[in-house]
Amino acid sequence: MIVLSPALSRGSVPRHLLTLDHKPSAAGIVHLGLGNFHRAHQAVYTAQAGGWGILGVASRSATVADTLNAQDGLYSVLELSPAGSSISVPGVHTGAIVAAHDPAAVVAAIAAEDTRIVSMTVTEHGYCMDPSTHRLALDHPGIVADLNNLAPVTVIGQLARALEVRAATHGRPITVLNCDNMQSNGAQTRSLILEFLQAANSKAEDWIAANVSFPNSMVDRIVPATTDAYRASAYELLGVQDSITAPAEPFTMWVMEDRFAAGRPAWERAGAVFSDDVEAYELIKLRLLNGTHSLIAYLGALDGRATIPEARAQDFIEAAARAVLEDEYLPSISLPDGFDVEAYVDSLFQRWSNDALGHRTQQVGTDGSVKLPQRVPEPAVRLLAKGIMPEHLALTVAAWLCCVVPPNGFDPGPHARAMVDPARDRLVAGSPVPLAQEALTRFFPAELAQSNEFVQRVAEYVAVIRTDGVRAAAREAARSRTPHQPQASPAA
Ligand code: CS2
């Protein structure tokens, strides 16, 4: 007889693993994007802070939402490192809904009187932004539909319409908290919403100015996608089944501005930092971590490496990662006072070596056409203006192109082929120069796309990868790099 072990629920969960003993009675927070990152990051901080609950909104797929509802709002966070693994169950969700099935319910939830924070992790992809201008893409089919429809399908449409409803009904203030890897994410969300409302001839702008805050935030935790191997480890630690366990590294960080229009959980109890210097932390994270991560992922995938730790262990990839980080990303950032950059960089290389986690190159490489424009352009433009070619940023863009729009006759390997990217349908493989020009024009700000030298350099790296392979391209970048010369500090 086969005995099936029970699924996670409030009845079956080992009590000592549960952060919140009781399901929160009210939500207070509506969160858009119920993916692993939210479940292993913000939800953990919110459970540890206590006193607040979260209504989760999944974008399209019902898998996580249905399971979360069936499990009384529970799922586990599986923390993995070479030093060992542990598990916990936050228990902070009051329920979950699916936006694609019921967009009107999403608007109603954000507009509800008791909702005091609406937060988002919908990836860079979810904001319908024109990459060359950073403005709302008014020709995006979802935005076009939302401007004519009362049950919006895009996140910006949902937020804008819900704020209109709040303004026209009870008028209670609310905070919109973007937790995605975007530069000035709060300010950027505010402009996208206002652009939407302007295009919709809405009158809510003055109410928003007085009643809605958009703090900037920097979020950080490496959180892979769930696989059967993680489910099996979760089962060993929990003793019950949890198909939606969220694997994560031990490291976690959250820095945000303390501008909450209607109160907030005591997230500092869980280690969150409130700071006026968030933008500096955002740039550190977006460039040193995310930017370098992208290069490791593309070089790794092209070299046949399935995971970030396997990629990072290749000497040529470690050297390229250090070069892009030190020569090209770091000089573009003003570090906050007292920030120990050496310790930070050491911790990054350690985090990328976490082979118990096995974060996949395919996952980090996915959606490069919306991620790279948040990471590469400003540092590249800055060096180009000084007459320095950012060799490893050009290599990043070239390696991305070789993964997602491989030159004819070039096989980028299984990890690159598995990367999902909207660019696959929008770019056509061809000669390197027109391909590089088209890619930069479509997906990057004009300032970078207009640099002929950068376009040429990207194309040259594409050509080297195609004919001689990724290791030869990395050797070429290492030979051509201009090491960063720190400014001599004034004599004491
Ligand atoms: C990664 C991030 O997929 C990616 O592009 O760089 O998801 C990264 O793991 C997180 O931002 C870490 O906080």
Side-chain angles (χ1 to χ4, degrees):
M1 190 176 77
I2 301 172
V3 180
L4 288 176
S5 61
L8 183 63
S9 70
R10 292 218 171 242
S12 70
V13 62
R15 308 306 294 177
H16 67 283
L17 298 178
L18 197 52
T19 310
L20 287 177
D21 275 344
H22 299 287
K23 190 175 194 161
S25 51
I29 300 175
V30 172
H31 183 82
L32 311 182
L34 202 46
N36 282 8
F37 182 76
H38 160 70
R39 301 206 311 286
H41 187 268
Q42 181 192 353
V44 173
Y45 284 84
T46 310
Q48 288 176 9
W52 288 63
I54 302 176
L55 173 72
V57 181
S59 308
R60 271 175 301 277
S61 158
T63 314
V64 173
D66 286 353
T67 310
L68 195 75
N69 287 329
Q71 295 185 167
D72 299 335
L74 302 187
Y75 65 91
S76 54
V77 178
L78 174 66
E79 206 170 285
L80 296 164
S81 78
S85 45
S86 64
I87 201 153
S88 62
V89 178
V92 72
H93 290 89
T94 54
I97 58 177
V98 182
H101 297 178
D102 194 354
V106 180
V107 174
I110 303 170
E113 273 188 65
D114 294 341
T115 302
R116 297 195 276 155
I117 295 174
V118 54
S119 52
M120 302 89 77
T121 45
V122 292
T123 78
E124 297 86 335
H125 212 38
Y127 294 90
C128 306
M129 210 162 72
D130 177 334
S132 51
T133 59
H134 285 189
R135 293 175 65 85
L136 187 66
L138 289 169
D139 58 349
H140 183 288
I143 296 292
V144 172
D146 287 358
L147 285 168
N148 293 299
N149 189 331
L150 292 180
V153 294
T154 67
V155 166
I156 293 299
Q158 287 156 0
L159 290 166
R161 293 301 188 193
L163 294 180
E164 267 187 320
V165 176
R166 289 184 86 92
T169 54
H170 53 81
R172 292 209 181 169
I174 186 169
T175 299
V176 178
L177 180 61
N178 183 325
C179 298
D180 275 304
N181 286 324
M182 289 160 62
Q183 198 170 327
S184 308
N185 56 5
Q188 180 70 67
T189 311
R190 181 174 190 277
S191 350
L192 295 172
I193 291 175
L194 292 181
E195 284 164 32
F196 180 96
L197 289 171
Q198 238 162 36
N201 288 320
S202 161
K203 306 268 172 295
E205 192 166 337
D206 289 347
W207 180 84
I208 291 178
N211 295 284
V212 187
S213 61
F214 295 85
N216 289 308
S217 78
M218 181 282 259
V219 294
D220 192 4
R221 191 169 201 187
I222 295 179
V223 180
T226 306
T227 61
D228 283 344
Y230 295 125
R231 292 187 184 101
S233 309
Y235 176 61
E236 271 178 33
L237 293 163
L238 278 174
V240 289
Q241 303 280 355
D242 177 20
S243 62
I244 56 167
T245 187
E249 64 173 339
F251 181 95
T252 179
M253 189 173 181
W254 194 8
V255 186
M256 69 202 116
E257 290 170 337
D258 201 357
R259 295 194 287 114
F260 286 78
R264 60 164 175 83
W267 281 314
E268 63 275 18
R269 282 192 201 145
V273 174
F274 291 90
S275 162
D276 292 335
D277 218 358
V278 173
E279 301 213 25
Y281 285 96
E282 272 181 0
L283 294 186
I284 290 171
K285 160 77 194 328
L286 271 174
R287 296 182 184 168
L288 304 190
L289 191 163
N290 296 120
T292 310
H293 218 186
S294 294
L295 181 60
I296 297 174
Y298 295 121
L299 297 181
L302 292 172
D303 196 51
R305 311 289 154 190
T307 68
I308 295 292
E310 283 163 25
R312 175 253 177 275
Q314 306 307 309
D315 290 345
F316 84 99
I317 296 184
E318 161 150 12
R322 289 201 186 273
V324 80
L325 194 157
E326 284 162 19
D327 301 343
E328 298 173 19
Y329 282 122
L330 196 51
S332 73
I333 300 168
S334 310
L335 298 171
D337 281 348
F339 184 81
D340 184 346
V341 70
E342 274 177 34
Y344 183 79
V345 172
D346 281 351
S347 86
L348 289 181
F349 279 91
Q350 253 173 39
R351 293 168 65 194
W352 293 325
S353 308
N354 185 345
D355 53 6
L357 194 63
H359 197 198
R360 300 186 73 77
T361 48
Q362 172 236 318
Q363 185 176 352
V364 179
T366 280
D367 277 346
S369 58
V370 281
K371 289 174 177 174
L372 294 181
Q374 296 291 330
R375 306 175 184 186
V376 167
E378 278 185 32
V381 167
R382 195 180 162 279
L383 288 175
L384 287 164
K386 289 183 163 176
I388 298 172
M389 173 54 64
E391 300 289 341
H392 288 87
L393 294 174
L395 179 64
T396 306
V397 177
W400 160 64
L401 278 173
C402 288
C403 285
V404 301
V405 201
N408 294 330
F410 173 78
D411 177 6
H415 311 299
R417 280 199 300 273
M419 290 172 187
V420 178
D421 197 313
R424 284 189 188 279
D425 298 333
R426 300 182 58 196
L427 295 174
V428 182
S431 317
V433 175
L435 173 65
Q437 184 69 70
E438 180 72 11
L440 284 158
T441 307
R442 271 178 183 259
F443 296 107
F444 289 78
E447 249 186 311
L448 187 60
Q450 281 160 4
S451 163
N452 279 334
E453 319 157 72
F454 191 74
V455 172
Q456 289 295 333
R457 200 62 184 136
V458 170
E460 281 158 17
Y461 280 120
V462 168
V464 176
I465 294 173
R466 180 180 63 186
T467 50
D468 302 321
V470 67
R471 286 175 181 249
R475 269 198 304 277
E476 165 72 20
R479 253 198 315 270
S480 316
R481 71 186 262 248
T482 309
H484 176 58
Q485 306 287 347
Q487 302 275 323
S489 46

Coordinates of all heavy atoms in Angstrom, one line a residue, residues 39-84:
R39 N 8.2 35.4 -2.0 CA 7.9 34.5 -0.9 C 9.2 34.3 0.0 O 9.0 34.0 1.2 CB 7.4 33.2 -1.5 CG 6.1 33.4 -2.3 CD 5.2 32.1 -2.3 NE 5.9 30.9 -2.7 CZ 6.3 30.6 -3.9 NH1 6.1 31.4 -4.9 NH2 6.9 29.4 -4.0
A40 N 10.4 34.4 -0.6 CA 11.6 34.2 0.2 C 12.2 35.5 0.7 O 13.2 35.5 1.4 CB 12.6 33.5 -0.6
H41 N 11.6 36.7 0.4 CA 12.2 37.9 0.8 C 11.2 38.7 1.6 O 11.1 38.6 2.8 CB 12.7 38.7 -0.5 CG 13.5 39.9 -0.2 ND1 12.9 41.2 -0.1 CD2 14.8 40.1 0.1 CE1 13.8 42.1 0.2 NE2 15.0 41.5 0.3
Q42 N 10.4 39.6 0.9 CA 9.5 40.5 1.6 C 8.5 39.7 2.6 O 8.3 40.2 3.7 CB 8.7 41.3 0.6 CG 7.7 42.3 1.2 CD 6.7 42.8 0.2 OE1 6.8 42.5 -1.0 NE2 5.8 43.6 0.7
A43 N 8.0 38.6 2.1 CA 7.1 37.8 3.0 C 7.8 37.4 4.3 O 7.1 37.4 5.3 CB 6.5 36.6 2.2
V44 N 9.0 37.0 4.2 CA 9.8 36.6 5.4 C 9.9 37.8 6.3 O 9.7 37.6 7.6 CB 11.2 36.0 5.0 CG1 12.0 35.7 6.2 CG2 11.0 34.8 4.1
Y45 N 10.3 38.9 5.8 CA 10.5 40.1 6.7 C 9.1 40.5 7.3 O 9.1 40.9 8.5 CB 10.9 41.3 5.8 CG 12.4 41.3 5.4 CD1 12.8 40.6 4.3 CD2 13.3 42.0 6.2 CE1 14.2 40.6 3.9 CE2 14.7 42.0 5.8 CZ 15.1 41.3 4.7 OH 16.4 41.3 4.3
T46 N 8.0 40.3 6.5 CA 6.7 40.8 7.0 C 6.3 39.8 8.1 O 5.7 40.2 9.2 CB 5.7 40.8 5.9 OG1 6.3 41.6 4.8 CG2 4.4 41.5 6.3
A47 N 6.5 38.5 7.9 CA 6.1 37.6 9.0 C 6.9 37.8 10.3 O 6.4 37.9 11.4 CB 6.4 36.1 8.5
Q48 N 8.2 38.1 10.1 CA 9.1 38.3 11.3 C 8.7 39.6 12.0 O 8.8 39.7 13.2 CB 10.5 38.3 10.9 CG 11.0 36.9 10.6 CD 12.5 36.9 10.1 OE1 13.2 37.9 10.2 NE2 12.9 35.7 9.6
A49 N 8.2 40.6 11.2 CA 7.8 41.9 11.8 C 6.6 41.7 12.7 O 6.4 42.3 13.7 CB 7.6 43.0 10.8
G50 N 5.6 40.9 12.2 CA 4.4 40.6 12.9 C 3.4 41.7 12.7 O 3.7 42.9 12.3
G51 N 2.1 41.4 12.9 CA 1.0 42.4 12.9 C 0.4 42.7 11.5 O -0.6 43.4 11.5
W52 N 1.0 42.2 10.4 CA 0.5 42.5 9.1 C 0.3 41.2 8.3 O 1.0 40.2 8.6 CB 1.4 43.4 8.3 CG 1.5 44.8 8.7 CD1 1.9 45.3 9.9 CD2 1.1 46.0 8.0 NE1 1.8 46.7 10.0 CE2 1.3 47.1 8.8 CE3 0.6 46.2 6.7 CZ2 1.1 48.4 8.4 CZ3 0.3 47.5 6.3 CH2 0.6 48.6 7.1
G53 N -0.6 41.2 7.4 CA -0.8 40.1 6.5 C -0.7 40.5 5.1 O -0.6 41.7 4.8
I54 N -0.5 39.5 4.2 CA -0.3 39.8 2.7 C -1.4 39.1 1.9 O -1.5 37.8 2.1 CB 1.1 39.4 2.3 CG1 2.2 40.1 3.1 CG2 1.2 39.7 0.8 CD1 3.6 39.6 2.7
L55 N -2.1 39.8 1.0 CA -2.9 39.1 0.0 C -2.0 39.0 -1.2 O -1.5 40.0 -1.7 CB -4.2 39.9 -0.3 CG -4.9 39.3 -1.5 CD1 -5.6 38.0 -1.1 CD2 -5.9 40.3 -2.0
G56 N -1.7 37.8 -1.6 CA -0.8 37.6 -2.8 C -1.6 37.6 -4.1 O -2.7 37.0 -4.2
V57 N -1.0 38.3 -5.1 CA -1.6 38.3 -6.4 C -0.6 37.7 -7.4 O 0.4 38.2 -7.7 CB -2.0 39.7 -6.9 CG1 -2.7 39.7 -8.2 CG2 -2.9 40.4 -5.8
A58 N -1.0 36.5 -7.9 CA -0.1 35.9 -9.0 C -0.5 36.5 -10.3 O -1.7 36.9 -10.5 CB -0.4 34.4 -9.0
S59 N 0.5 36.7 -11.2 CA 0.2 37.4 -12.5 C -0.7 36.5 -13.4 O -1.8 36.9 -13.7 CB 1.4 37.7 -13.2 OG 2.3 38.4 -12.4
R60 N -0.2 35.3 -13.8 CA -0.9 34.5 -14.8 C -1.2 33.1 -14.3 O -2.3 32.7 -14.4 CB -0.1 34.5 -16.1 CG -0.4 35.6 -17.0 CD 0.5 35.5 -18.2 NE 1.9 35.5 -17.8 CZ 2.6 36.7 -17.6 NH1 2.0 37.8 -17.7 NH2 3.8 36.7 -17.2
S61 N -0.2 32.5 -13.8 CA -0.3 31.1 -13.5 C -1.0 30.9 -12.1 O -0.8 31.6 -11.1 CB 1.1 30.4 -13.4 OG 1.0 29.2 -12.6
A62 N -1.9 29.9 -12.1 CA -2.7 29.6 -10.9 C -2.0 28.7 -9.9 O -2.4 28.4 -8.8 CB -4.1 29.1 -11.2
T63 N -0.8 28.1 -10.4 CA -0.2 27.0 -9.6 C 0.1 27.4 -8.2 O -0.3 26.7 -7.2 CB 1.1 26.5 -10.3 OG1 0.8 26.4 -11.7 CG2 1.6 25.2 -9.8
V64 N 0.8 28.5 -8.0 CA 1.2 28.9 -6.7 C 0.0 29.4 -5.9 O -0.2 29.0 -4.7 CB 2.3 30.0 -6.7 CG1 2.6 30.5 -5.3 CG2 3.6 29.5 -7.4
A65 N -0.8 30.2 -6.5 CA -2.0 30.7 -5.8 C -2.9 29.6 -5.3 O -3.3 29.6 -4.1 CB -2.8 31.7 -6.7
D66 N -3.2 28.6 -6.1 CA -4.1 27.5 -5.7 C -3.5 26.7 -4.6 O -4.1 26.3 -3.6 CB -4.3 26.6 -6.9 CG -5.3 27.2 -7.9 OD1 -5.8 28.3 -7.6 OD2 -5.5 26.6 -9.0
T67 N -2.1 26.4 -4.7 CA -1.5 25.6 -3.7 C -1.5 26.4 -2.4 O -1.7 25.9 -1.3 CB -0.1 25.2 -4.1 OG1 -0.2 24.7 -5.4 CG2 0.6 24.2 -3.2
L68 N -1.1 27.7 -2.5 CA -1.1 28.5 -1.3 C -2.4 28.5 -0.6 O -2.5 28.4 0.7 CB -0.6 29.9 -1.6 CG -0.2 30.8 -0.5 CD1 1.2 30.4 0.0 CD2 -0.2 32.3 -0.9
N69 N -3.5 28.7 -1.3 CA -4.8 28.7 -0.7 C -5.2 27.3 -0.1 O -5.7 27.2 1.0 CB -5.9 29.1 -1.8 CG -5.9 30.5 -2.1 OD1 -5.5 31.4 -1.2 ND2 -6.2 30.9 -3.3
A70 N -4.8 26.2 -0.9 CA -5.1 24.9 -0.4 C -4.3 24.6 0.9 O -4.7 23.8 1.7 CB -4.8 23.8 -1.5
Q71 N -3.1 25.2 1.1 CA -2.3 25.0 2.2 C -2.5 26.0 3.3 O -1.6 26.4 4.1 CB -0.8 25.0 1.8 CG -0.5 23.8 0.8 CD 1.0 23.6 0.5 OE1 1.3 22.6 -0.1 NE2 1.8 24.6 0.7
D72 N -3.7 26.6 3.4 CA -4.0 27.6 4.5 C -3.0 28.8 4.4 O -2.7 29.4 5.5 CB -3.9 27.0 5.9 CG -4.8 25.9 6.1 OD1 -5.8 25.8 5.4 OD2 -4.5 25.0 7.0
G73 N -2.6 29.2 3.2 CA -1.6 30.4 3.1 C -0.2 30.0 3.5 O 0.6 30.9 3.6
L74 N 0.1 28.7 3.6 CA 1.5 28.3 4.0 C 2.3 27.8 2.8 O 1.8 27.3 1.8 CB 1.4 27.2 5.0 CG 0.7 27.5 6.3 CD1 0.9 26.3 7.3 CD2 1.1 28.8 7.0
Y75 N 3.6 28.0 2.9 CA 4.6 27.5 2.0 C 5.9 27.6 2.8 O 6.0 28.3 3.8 CB 4.8 28.2 0.7 CG 5.3 29.6 0.9 CD1 6.6 29.9 0.9 CD2 4.4 30.6 1.3 CE1 7.1 31.2 1.3 CE2 4.8 31.9 1.6 CZ 6.2 32.2 1.6 OH 6.6 33.4 1.9
S76 N 7.0 26.9 2.3 CA 8.2 27.0 3.1 C 9.3 27.7 2.4 O 9.3 27.9 1.1 CB 8.7 25.5 3.4 OG 8.8 24.8 2.2
V77 N 10.3 28.2 3.1 CA 11.5 28.8 2.6 C 12.6 27.9 2.9 O 12.9 27.7 4.1 CB 11.7 30.2 3.1 CG1 13.0 30.9 2.6 CG2 10.5 31.1 2.8
L78 N 13.3 27.4 1.9 CA 14.4 26.4 2.1 C 15.7 27.1 1.9 O 16.1 27.5 0.8 CB 14.2 25.3 1.0 CG 15.2 24.3 0.9 CD1 15.3 23.4 2.1 CD2 14.9 23.4 -0.4
E79 N 16.4 27.3 3.0 CA 17.7 28.0 3.0 C 18.8 27.1 2.7 O 19.0 26.1 3.5 CB 17.8 28.8 4.3 CG 18.7 30.0 4.2 CD 18.6 30.8 5.5 OE1 17.6 31.4 5.7 OE2 19.6 30.7 6.3
L80 N 19.6 27.3 1.7 CA 20.7 26.4 1.3 C 22.0 27.0 1.2 O 22.2 28.1 0.6 CB 20.3 25.8 -0.1 CG 19.0 25.0 -0.1 CD1 18.6 24.8 -1.6 CD2 19.2 23.6 0.6
S81 N 23.0 26.4 1.8 CA 24.4 26.9 1.7 C 25.3 25.7 1.9 O 24.9 24.7 2.5 CB 24.7 28.0 2.7 OG 25.0 27.4 3.9
P82 N 26.6 25.8 1.5 CA 27.5 24.6 1.7 C 27.6 24.3 3.2 O 27.9 23.1 3.6 CB 28.8 25.1 1.2 CG 28.5 26.2 0.2 CD 27.2 26.9 0.7
A83 N 27.3 25.2 4.1 CA 27.3 24.9 5.5 C 26.1 24.2 6.0 O 26.1 23.7 7.2 CB 27.4 26.3 6.3
G84 N 25.1 24.0 5.2 CA 23.9 23.3 5.7 C 22.6 23.9 5.2 O 22.6 24.9 4.5

